[in-house]
Structures are given as structure tokens and as C-alpha cells.
Amino acid sequence: MRIDEKFLTEQLKYALDGVDLPFLGRRTRGKVRDLYTVGDKLVMIATDRLSAFDHILGLVPCKGQVLNELALFWFEQTRDIIPNAVLESPDPNVTIARRCTPLLVEVIVRGYITGVTGTSLWQRYSAGEREVYGIQFPNGLRKNDQLPAPIITPTTKAADGAHDALITPSAIVAQGLATAAQWEQVATAALALFARGQEIAARGGLVLVDTKYEFGLLPDGTVALIDEIHTPDSSRFWVAATLEDRRAAEQEPENFDKEFVRLYYAAQGYTGDGAPFPLPPALAVQAAERYIRAYERITRLPFMPAAMPAGARIASTMRRWADAQGE
Ligand SMILES: Nc1ncnc2c1ncn2[C@@H]1O[C@H](COP(=O)(O)OP(=O)(O)OP(=O)(O)O)[C@@H](O)[C@H]1O
Ligand SMILES: [Mg+2]
């Protein structure tokens, strides 16, 4: 099957906004995933919702499947670094995870200085700040420069609608979000995960620029990687081959992530204040192409779109899954 603009335009009508599965209990909705708690398990259904600037902009066909399958790939590739919560994936859009107690910190790792929103590292640096996140930055950095070494810039995990706030490692411990020993494990794992991510992305001709990890505690207290890892939602990816030429010409790097959508919104004058305009269909198709190409470059496998419509497919798969839980 050729996954081109024509195919993805046809898929727009199938884009998945959510899946209501009353037999699994009450649905909770994250920005991107629909979630159900079933005993000690968490059912995570990746929808096609695209969130940016803390708003849902619209739907991107095939995005949920890409996110779910790409995260599964990375969980597999990193299980020697840290345990993760994944149990199984009964459907291309669904992951069943062990339900953990999330550590309420978003662990952001950055290898480059970039960003378009007002609070991004590049915006703050270019406004003259030289101490950001409690880290000293030298003069003379240009947008999209590589940092001397990757840095961890944790934020609190804000409640619905609120923006995440920066937090220092000592405040994380002081506020009881993690013990000192847990934070030490998290920070060490995050840097090792990021290095692994850069290595594997490089084989596919991509640069892993920055990313966000979430960690949680398994019932026995072990720290585990949860949520998702190294997807185009949680990470920036640039095309390695064109990076130096584009930087020399003061152009933005070619990217395979949500930054493409953010830059489009920024070019229309929207940088995060007030309600954003809805995602134009043509932009949704282009975003889908980028998500799929990112998947293919990273996994070095062709993307195989699952049977549509996804909602009905997921409902019947999950009905069987739920029946099997009782046995
Ligand atoms: N194994 C797990 N145990 C407990 N919670 C988890 C686990 N894996 C993921 N989560 C949580 O499930 C949610 C995933 O949904 P989604 O990615 O849509 O949320 P989000 O928009 O990123 O986050 P939120 O809406 O909570 O701010 C996140 O809140 C994440 O912290
Ligand atoms: Mg998330």
C-alpha cells in the first residue's frame, strides 16, 4: 500500500477522536490517550488527537497507531536500561500497562537549544537570559546549536489546563515528588535513555533533539518508565543530512515531529496565547506524513496502516480482551 498524500487525505474521515468502551469502566481522557483502569492494569488507547500549545488542535490520521507502535519499539529497545510498564498490545492503537504511581515530574532532556514558545529555552536565551533552569549558558549560542552535553530540565506535571512549571532537583525532593534516591535513578536513566535514543535515531538519519520522559513506581516500589518514549509527540527529531546546510543558511532544520505544526501556527502569528485556530486538513495530512516517516526511519520498518475504522476495530478487540480478563 502506498502511503501518500492521497491515501492520507482519504484517511482524514477515519481519524480517531476517541473510543468509548463502557464495558471497561469509566473513560478518562488525557490530551492524546483515552484511558481505562481495569484492576491493576491501565488500558491506554492512542487516539489521533494532536495536542500543541496545551490545546487539542485537531485530528491527524494514523497518528495514534504511529505513536503506540513507535513507543512499543522504543520500550523494547531500552528495557536493558530501565524496566517499563508495558504488558501487551492487543491492538495497533492500544497498550496495556501495569498501573504505576506516577512521579509527578516531567523529565525533559535537551541536546540542543531550540523552541518557539515564549518559555522555550531558545526564546529565553535570545531574550538575554544566561541562567535558565539553574544552568549557566555561554554567550554566543545560536538557535538550534547543540549543547556541550545533554541537560535535564524537569518540570512539575501540572493539573488540567495549567502550564507545567520548572522545578529544581532539590525542590523535587523537598516537595516529596521523589526521594533523593529515586531522583538519582531517574536522572541517570533519563540520560542513558537519551543517549540510546540518539544512537538509534542516527541509524535512521535522524537527530533526537529533545524529549520528555515520565516515570512511575511499580507496586513493589521499583522505578519504571511509563507513558510513552521517543515519539514525535514527546520528542523533537531533525533530519541529520540537511542539518548543517540549513543551519548555515539560517533556516529551520527539517523536522519529523510536532514542531512542524508549531512553526506553522507561529508563522500565522499564534504562539500560545488564547485559543488556537483549528488544524487545517492539509496540515493534518502533512503532519501524518511526518509522523509516519519518523516511524519508518526510526524502526527501519514500513508502516502498515491497521484496518479502518479504528474505533469499531478497537471496540471489538477490547471486548475480547475484557472477556479474557475474567477467565
Ligand atoms: N503505567 C502507567 N501508570 C499510570 N499512569 C500512566 C502510565 N502510563 C501513562 N500514564 C499516564 O496516562 C496518561 C497518558 O495519557 P496522555 O498521553 O493523553 O496524557 P497527557 O496529555 O500527556 O497527560 P495529562 O493529560 O495527564 O497531562 C498520562 O497522564 C500519563 O502520566
Ligand atoms: Mg502524554
Side-chain angles (χ1 to χ4, degrees), residues 33 212 227-228:
R33 291 172 180 78
K212 180 208 74 177
D227 199 44
E228 63 177 342

Side-chain angles (χ1 to χ4, degrees), residues 1-326:
M1 181 182 315
R2 246 177 84 92
I3 303 174
D4 52 13
E5 201 181 314
K6 181 167 166 284
F7 171 82
L8 292 168
T9 303
E10 284 163 13
Q11 298 297 306
L12 277 171
K13 62 177 176 293
Y14 294 130
L16 184 68
D17 184 39
V19 200
D20 200 9
L21 305 174
F23 55 88
L24 289 183
R26 196 176 58 83
R27 164 168 65 170
T28 54
R29 304 187 101 185
K31 286 190 276 295
V32 173
R33 291 172 180 78
D34 281 0
L35 307 162
Y36 296 88
T37 298
V38 179
D40 55 3
K41 295 176 183 172
L42 181 69
V43 175
M44 295 196 285
I45 303 174
T47 73
D48 291 333
R49 301 194 289 264
L50 180 102
S51 132
F53 307 106
D54 289 327
H55 290 272
I56 308 295
L57 303 182
L59 303 179
V60 171
C62 301
K63 174 175 176 282
Q65 186 190 342
V66 167
L67 284 195
N68 188 59
E69 293 188 334
L70 190 53
L72 288 169
F73 168 86
W74 282 113
F75 278 124
E76 197 52 49
Q77 297 289 322
T78 55
R79 60 168 69 257
D80 60 311
I81 297 175
I82 183 165
N84 62 63
V86 175
L87 289 170
E88 58 168 325
S89 172
D91 177 277
N93 285 64
V94 182
T95 288
I96 314 293
R98 285 186 281 182
R99 196 153 53 85
C100 296
T101 308
L103 300 178
L104 298 178
V105 190
E106 307 221 323
V107 183
I108 298 159
V109 181
R110 302 169 193 275
Y112 290 75
I113 181 167
T114 187
V116 290
T117 61
T119 53
S120 69
L121 179 53
W122 170 249
Q123 295 300 328
R124 295 178 60 179
Y125 181 89
S126 63
E129 287 184 59
R130 286 295 173 270
E131 190 189 311
V132 192
Y133 314 123
I135 297 168
Q136 292 293 331
F137 290 85
N139 285 323
L141 291 179
R142 293 168 312 158
K143 187 175 186 195
N144 303 328
D145 270 350
Q146 187 165 16
L147 296 169
I151 58 171
I152 303 181
T153 59
T155 66
T156 57
K157 217 171 133 42
D160 271 2
H163 289 286
D164 299 332
L166 293 171
I167 187 166
T168 60
S170 52
I172 289 170
V173 175
Q175 293 178 22
L177 304 179
T179 66
Q182 285 165 349
W183 178 253
E184 177 66 35
Q185 272 186 56
V186 162
T188 305
L191 291 176
L193 291 168
F194 193 71
R196 178 72 52 85
Q198 289 194 313
E199 183 190 316
I200 292 176
R203 291 185 212 151
L206 294 180
V207 175
L208 174 61
V209 176
D210 49 31
T211 195
K212 180 208 74 177
Y213 303 111
E214 291 185 33
F215 297 86
L217 302 179
L218 290 167
D220 70 356
T222 310
V223 177
L225 183 63
I226 65 168
D227 199 44
E228 63 177 342
I229 163 171
H230 300 162
T231 68
D233 264 12
S234 67
S235 318
R236 285 191 179 87
F237 292 102
W238 290 340
V239 175
T242 56
L243 183 56
E244 281 320 309
D245 284 354
R246 293 184 70 110
R247 283 163 47 86
E250 296 195 2
Q251 291 170 335
E252 284 297 323
E254 274 184 272
N255 63 72
F256 274 98
D257 54 58
K258 269 194 328 197
E259 192 73 355
F260 155 75
V261 174
R262 291 196 199 95
L263 289 166
Y264 178 92
Y265 273 70
Q268 308 292 314
Y270 181 84
T271 52
D273 297 320
F277 56 90
L279 188 69
L283 197 65
V285 166
Q286 289 177 44
E289 268 193 291
R290 294 194 185 218
Y291 273 74
I292 290 168
R293 299 303 161 227
Y295 170 91
E296 293 183 327
R297 278 173 173 254
I298 292 164
T299 64
R300 292 181 290 168
L301 294 168
F303 176 70
M304 304 287 200
M308 295 290 165
R313 187 196 75 226
I314 294 168
S316 73
T317 309
M318 293 315 295
R319 167 80 66 182
R320 283 195 303 277
W321 180 86
D323 289 347
Q325 296 306 295

